[in-house]
Amino acid sequence: MPESGKRGAKKSVLVVHGPNLNLLGQRETDVYGTDTLSDIDRQLSSLGAELGCEVETFQSNSEGDLVSRLQGAREEKDGVLINPAAYTHTSVAIRDAVLALGLPVVEVHLSNIHKREEFRHRSLLSDVVDGQVVGFGVDSYTLGLRALANLMARP
Ligand code: DQA
């Protein structure tokens, strides 16, 4: 088994889910679909295995915990896939934590935030991440992980 993370051959990815995403499958299913967060995490782990990445997932409803987990990723991980959920539109702290990462970062959203209420159109992360995937439901995450794997493979 190749060693994971930073110095290992196998890449190590942190997937960060923001507030209320623990309620996926129960919450606004017309907008977010019926898959639960565990369903999404399972899909990401199995896709990660195909792509040669180890995937760790983390969800929190608390801004400070999200910032602390991102800080921890600086030394441990090779890339981050993040759905900051409502904090996308408000959190300078999460933006700053992403800026401090110095790693490839892909932002994802299940819904198309640009087709929704105006306050969701702005992401405080959009100009500090490598790219965004929005509007494809669970596919936003899987497409995002594929893009991240390609970014991490760059010399
Ligand atoms: C979301 C979009 C956000 O505006 C919202 O607050 C969420 C989920 C999405 O994945 O579509 O909680 O990030």
Side-chain angles (χ1 to χ4, degrees), residues 2-155:
E3 200 192 320
S4 310
K6 294 287 185 197
R7 285 158 296 278
K10 199 171 180 188
K11 300 293 183 188
S12 189
V13 171
L14 177 68
V15 177
V16 176
H17 305 286
N20 300 306
L21 295 175
N22 55 313
L23 295 181
L24 284 177
Q26 302 167 46
R27 161 193 184 222
E28 298 176 81
T29 51
D30 52 323
V31 179
Y32 299 120
T34 51
D35 283 309
T36 65
L37 194 61
S38 311
D39 295 333
I40 294 176
D41 287 348
R42 258 194 305 276
Q43 284 195 45
L44 292 174
S45 291
S46 77
L47 177 61
E50 259 175 57
L51 298 172
C53 311
E54 187 183 76
V55 174
E56 177 192 334
T57 60
F58 177 80
Q59 190 276 330
S60 178
N61 294 324
S62 145
E63 187 176 20
D65 289 348
L66 292 163
V67 168
S68 296
R69 189 64 198 89
L70 286 167
Q71 287 186 5
R74 294 178 67 213
E75 300 300 326
E76 294 166 11
K77 302 294 177 185
D78 300 296
V80 171
L81 186 70
I82 183 167
N83 181 351
Y87 287 136
T88 306
H89 318 296
T90 62
S91 178
V92 175
I94 291 177
R95 174 193 168 89
D96 286 350
V98 165
L99 262 176
L101 275 171
L103 298 174
V105 181
V106 175
E107 175 185 353
V108 299
H109 297 282
L110 294 153
S111 63
N112 181 350
I113 53 177
H114 304 289
K115 262 173 92 173
R116 300 183 63 195
E117 304 97 316
E118 204 167 333
F119 67 86
R120 293 187 204 274
H121 296 181
R122 187 174 73 141
S123 162
L124 293 188
L125 271 71
S126 58
D127 61 325
V128 298
V129 294
D130 290 280
Q132 285 179 315
V133 186
V134 308
F136 299 108
V138 180
D139 290 346
S140 294
Y141 279 92
T142 54
L143 291 165
L145 183 58
R146 286 182 187 280
L148 184 63
N150 289 341
L151 287 173
M152 292 185 307
R154 285 187 192 169

